[in-house]
Amino acid sequence: MYRLFLLLLAIGAFGLGIYFEKQTSAPLSVDAVPIEARVQRPFAVVIHARNIEAECEALLTALFSQDYDNYRLILIDDGSADATFQVAQDFILDAGQEWRSIVLRHDAPTGWDASFQEIAATLLPHEIIIPLQGKHRFLDVQALKRLNAIYEDKNVTMTESDLVYYPSYERGAGQEPFGQTFLGTHVRSGKIVKEGKSARLTGPICLEDRSRV
C-alpha cells in the first residue's frame, strides 16, 4: 500500500508538472491573467497627431480617464494645418494634466519615424511605450490595466491587438508594427525593441476614428 501511494504521488506530481508547463508556455491573452497586477508599470503614451482638431478632445478624454496612474503623455503635432496643437494644449491645461504631459509641435510634417526618433532619447529604459496615431484612442478606462497585466510576464517585450472602428464598431485587424496597429513595446538606446516575446491581446484595446473617412 505504501509503495502504491508513492507511485500515485509520483504520477500526480508528473502530471502537475506537465499541466504547469502547458500553462506557462501557452500564448498570453488578456483573459488569461488577472487585471489587478502587483505593480503599475510606467507607460509612455506617444501620440503622433496631425490635423485631428475635431478628434483631439475624445482622444485625450479616453487617455486621462484611465483607471491607472503610472503613465505620461508625449503628444507630437506633426505639422497640422488646423488648431490641433492649441486644442491639445488647452484641453490638457483644463484637465489639470500638464504635470504628466509634453506637447511638441512641428512647423511641417516629418512623419512618424522622424517624430519618434526625435523623442526616443527622452524615453526611459524601464518605460513601456504605447505609440498611437491621432485617430486611435483607448476603448475603455481599463485599457492600461489590461496591458499592465500582460507585462507581469517579464519575457514579454511587445503587445499588439486588433482595433474597433468608430462609428460602425466593427472589428478590424491590426498591422505590425506602427501604421494601423496598437503596439506596446520598449525602447533601448533610442531603438525599438522587437526581439523577445510578443503577446497578442484577445480583446481590442483601441478604436480607430473613421467618422471623417
Side-chain angles (χ1 to χ4, degrees), residues 96-127:
Q97 297 291 327
E98 65 275 11
W99 60 277
R100 69 160 94 235
S101 304
I102 298 173
V103 183
L104 306 174
R105 183 179 190 180
H106 296 160
D107 292 332
T110 62
W112 164 255
D113 288 339
S115 296
F116 186 84
Q117 289 304 320
E118 177 186 352
I119 56 94
T122 69
L123 298 170
L124 304 176
H126 61 283
E127 284 183 310

Side-chain angles (χ1 to χ4, degrees), residues 64-142:
F64 296 145
S65 298
Q66 287 298 299
D67 186 17
Y68 197 88
D69 296 320
N70 196 8
Y71 72 91
R72 66 188 181 113
L73 164 67
I74 302 173
L75 187 147
I76 306 165
D77 175 15
D78 192 23
S80 293
D82 63 9
T84 295
F85 179 79
Q86 193 60 53
V87 170
Q89 267 200 331
D90 290 346
F91 187 88
I92 289 168
L93 288 172
D94 290 344
Q97 297 291 327
E98 65 275 11
W99 60 277
R100 69 160 94 235
S101 304
I102 298 173
V103 183
L104 306 174
R105 183 179 190 180
H106 296 160
D107 292 332
T110 62
W112 164 255
D113 288 339
S115 296
F116 186 84
Q117 289 304 320
E118 177 186 352
I119 56 94
T122 69
L123 298 170
L124 304 176
H126 61 283
E127 284 183 310
I128 299 171
I129 315 307
I130 304 178
L132 296 179
Q133 297 287 351
K135 60 186 176 182
H136 295 164
R137 62 179 182 265
F138 289 129
L139 189 61
D140 58 46
V141 299
Q142 301 290 334

Side-chain angles (χ1 to χ4, degrees), residues 4-18:
L4 179 60
F5 173 77
L6 289 179
L7 179 61
L8 291 173
L9 186 63
I11 293 173
F14 179 75
L16 192 62
I18 293 176

Side-chain angles (χ1 to χ4, degrees), residues 45-58:
V45 181
V46 181
I47 298 175
H48 178 253
R50 184 162 183 259
N51 297 330
I52 61 161
E53 175 184 353
E55 298 87 0
C56 199
E57 183 172 335

